[in-house]
């Protein structure tokens, strides 16, 4: 792996991205405005500035302005985010979504009696009580910080579930899970006192 540092200080794998940093969007002209590559290190966003006579005036909130903030993945600062390789061969990288496709959902009525949806994306989906998890469940004290992993790879077309050595374990359809297992649409997943219905999204 060839680590390279761009002019904005982002580290990335040059063997994958070449000379183009995946964390820095290309300069885009949008009428009289330009999206520049000025990094705000406190918020990890790129700030857009106006053109013409006011090149340093932020254009956020300006009527009819097409510029917007572009989030930067913190993973860029530690060597680059994982690129999802699609079976179709389309490996286009999108710094806003990390190239991850929505592939399933979890529905729970434990946190909200009217129901709440949690999205699952291809690749790793970590569930737990920590706010840094992909799917944080904050108000169930029986859930571990990093409790459960749901993994989906397009090339396999299988959803894998694996407990992350949690204190109270994980259950699928009422059965305790000690090893990684494949799960199917309609399965009931229980961690702590929280139940989820797993629904896979048919790919088309």
């Amino acid at each position: 792996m060839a680590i390279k540092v761009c002019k904005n200080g982002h580290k990335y794998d040059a063997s994958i991205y070449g000379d183009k940093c995946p964390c820095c969007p290309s300069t885009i002209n949008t009428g009289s405005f330009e999206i520049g590559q000025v990094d705000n290190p406190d918020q990890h966003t790129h700030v857009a500035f106006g053109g013409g006579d006011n090149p340093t005036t932020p254009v956020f909130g300006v009527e009819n302005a097409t510029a917007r903030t572009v989030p930067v993945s913190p993973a860029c600062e530690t060597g680059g985010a994982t690129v999802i390789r699609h079976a179709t061969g389309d490996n286009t990288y999108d710094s806003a979504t990390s190239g991850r496709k929505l592939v399933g959902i979890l529905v729970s009525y434990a946190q909200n009696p009217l129901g709440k949806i949690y999205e699952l994306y291809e690749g790793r989906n970590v569930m737990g009580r920590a706010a840094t998890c992909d799917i944080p469940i904050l108000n169930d004290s029986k859930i571990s910080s990093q409790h459960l992993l749901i993994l989906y790879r397009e090339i396999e077309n299988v959803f894998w579930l694996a407990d992350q050595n949690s204190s109270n374990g994980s259950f699928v359809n009422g059965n305790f899970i000690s090893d990684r297992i494949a799960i199917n649409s309609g399965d009931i997943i229980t961690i702590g006192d929280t139940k989820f219905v797993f629904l896979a999204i048919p790919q088309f």
Side-chain angles (χ1 to χ4, degrees):
M1 182 170 68
I3 298 299
K4 188 172 183 178
V5 180
C6 75
K7 64 181 181 181
N8 290 320
H10 302 130
K11 296 179 182 178
Y12 65 95
D13 188 347
S15 65
I16 296 175
Y17 303 105
D19 293 329
K20 183 178 179 183
C21 174
C23 304
C24 296
S26 301
T27 300
I28 303 171
N29 291 321
T30 54
S32 60
F33 298 102
E34 185 175 88
I35 298 178
Q37 296 181 353
V38 182
D39 187 55
N40 181 337
D42 296 327
Q43 297 181 4
H44 298 290
T45 58
H46 290 276
V47 182
F49 295 93
D53 297 330
N54 298 300
T56 60
T57 303
V59 299
F60 303 126
V62 176
E63 187 175 1
N64 297 325
T66 56
R68 59 182 178 85
T69 57
V70 180
V72 175
S73 170
C76 294
E77 299 170 3
T78 58
T82 300
V83 175
I84 302 295
R85 299 193 181 279
H86 299 278
T88 59
D90 181 8
N91 298 324
T92 303
Y93 181 85
D94 183 340
S95 61
T97 65
S98 298
R100 300 178 69 191
K101 186 195 307 183
L102 180 68
V103 292
I105 60 172
L106 297 171
V107 181
S108 178
Y109 295 91
Q111 310 297 322
N112 183 336
L114 298 179
K116 181 172 177 59
I117 292 176
Y118 302 89
E119 298 174 341
L120 296 172
Y121 292 89
E122 61 181 334
R124 296 167 52 87
N125 298 270
V126 177
M127 302 173 62
R129 202 173 69 250
T132 54
C133 287
D134 302 300
I135 301 176
I137 311 297
L138 305 178
N139 54 356
D140 187 334
S141 61
K142 294 182 180 179
I143 294 178
S144 297
S145 295
Q146 293 191 355
H147 195 111
L148 182 71
L149 168 69
I150 296 177
L151 172 68
Y152 176 86
R153 289 184 287 237
E154 185 182 40
I155 195 168
E156 290 183 298
N157 193 28
V158 176
F159 287 87
W160 296 101
L161 179 146
D163 185 85
Q164 301 296 283
N165 297 316
S166 65
S167 299
N168 293 310
S170 303
F171 301 81
V172 174
N173 298 326
N175 299 313
F176 177 78
I177 302 304
S178 57
D179 297 313
R180 184 178 81 157
I181 67 165
I183 55 175
N184 300 301
S185 193
D187 283 347
I188 306 298
I189 300 169
T190 305
I191 57 174
D193 289 328
T194 306
K195 289 186 177 182
F196 304 86
V197 179
F198 165 65
L199 300 171
I201 297 175
Q203 299 302 303
F204 56 89

